[in-house]
Amino acid sequence: MSFIEMKNICKKYAGADKNSVTDFSLSVEEGEFIAFVGPSGCGKTTILRMIAGFEDATNGVIEVQGER
């Protein structure tokens, strides 16, 4: 079991024409270090906010230590 598991995550904000995050999947084991890199507007902060629980995913599953 992964420490953080994100499966097919999509995020679309109300009133937006397109998704901020589309079909994102990630598996992080306990003790691993990861970094999100990419151009401005690619969804890095949105993904971190979903992991932290500040934002809900429009579609997909986010599990931390096996719990949704």
Side-chain angles (χ1 to χ4, degrees), residues 7-12 19 21 23-24 50 56-62 68:
K7 301 173 191 169
N8 305 107
I9 299 298
C10 293
K11 176 65 178 181
K12 184 174 183 180
N19 289 344
V21 177
D23 198 30
F24 179 81
M50 287 189 287
D56 290 326
T58 305
N59 292 313
V61 176
I62 300 172
R68 289 183 101 163

Side-chain angles (χ1 to χ4, degrees), residues 8 14-16 22 32 40 42 46 51 54 56:
N8 305 107
T22 303
E32 279 188 310
S40 179
C42 72
T46 301
I51 292 170
F54 298 131
D56 290 326

Side-chain angles (χ1 to χ4, degrees), residues 34-49:
I34 62 167
F36 294 107
V37 295
S40 179
C42 72
K44 300 177 300 287
T45 300
T46 301
I47 291 167
L48 292 173
R49 291 180 57 83

